[in-house]
Amino acid sequence: MALIKMTHSRLSAEPAADRECNVLMQELYSEEAAVRRAAARDLVACPQASEALLARLKIETLLSVRETIITTLIRLGDAAAAAGLIECLRSDDAALRNEAIEAMKQLPEEVAPLMEQLLDDVDADVRIFAVNVLESMRHPRVEEWLIEVIRSDPHVNVCSAALDVLSEVGTMRALEAIERVQARFADDPYIQFAANLTLARLRQE
């Protein structure tokens, strides 16, 4: 999915009148895609619209409308938007999960307070999705979170995902943790490959 890339900032527009916002929220359920798409776009002026947009996102099937909903959620960028996108990671819809991951990458400050909880989720798949968010999330704690994953996560696939990201963003700070995860999963070929690749890069820097 191609999302509109943007630098996230708080909107300065004045909130729309409550009546107008309520009408737009109702129009999210119009039978006409163009009406739903326009409503999703215009709800950017309604600061309390995130929950309504997220509810529609979970059932919307048309890609262009979903893209508009996601773009508006990114622009609203509030705690409700971040929490709702995180909940989408549990969806059975792979496309929705991927859309949520891409959107979360653009909300680093809103997602960051929830990242440790995500990385400690009981579902290994959710932990992997959280690592995927970190792949291009611009936040000063990204490497710290990845190091903690490979130090403590018991699931080999989660650690593999974290190593993949560390191979791109890791520094010498990660060296000891990488050596330890390599020893911890000594029988796993991919962990050995990814760890050796990352260690070689770090030692050349």
Side-chain angles (χ1 to χ4, degrees), residues 2-129:
L3 292 177
I4 296 175
K5 296 294 182 181
M6 63 188 71
T7 301
H8 173 57
S9 62
R10 294 293 179 191
L11 298 178
S12 59
E14 289 294 323
D18 289 344
R19 183 177 63 81
E20 182 181 348
C21 290
N22 288 335
V23 170
L24 290 171
M25 290 179 193
Q26 292 171 12
E27 288 179 349
L28 287 174
Y29 293 87
S30 170
E31 293 184 0
E32 297 184 28
V35 174
R36 298 199 305 276
R37 189 163 48 246
R41 181 194 64 226
D42 293 344
L43 278 167
V44 74
C46 302
Q48 307 303 319
S50 290
E51 290 186 4
L53 288 162
L54 287 159
R56 181 65 213 183
L57 179 63
K58 292 178 180 178
I59 60 172
E60 179 60 57
T61 57
L62 193 63
L63 179 60
S64 65
V65 180
R66 283 164 68 131
E67 289 179 345
T68 304
I69 291 173
I70 293 259
T71 298
T72 299
L73 286 168
I74 293 169
R75 294 186 64 190
L76 287 170
D78 55 13
L85 289 167
I86 285 172
E87 193 58 32
C88 290
L89 298 182
R90 304 184 190 281
S91 172
D92 292 331
D93 184 340
L96 179 57
R97 292 197 306 267
N98 289 334
E99 290 161 4
I101 288 170
E102 292 305 312
M104 288 166 64
K105 290 176 181 179
Q106 298 189 56
L107 296 172
E109 296 305 322
E110 290 70 27
V111 171
L114 305 172
M115 184 53 67
E116 289 182 9
Q117 179 182 339
L118 267 178
L119 292 172
D120 197 39
D121 196 274
V122 295
D123 188 335
D125 286 338
V126 171
R127 301 200 301 276
I128 291 172
F129 298 148

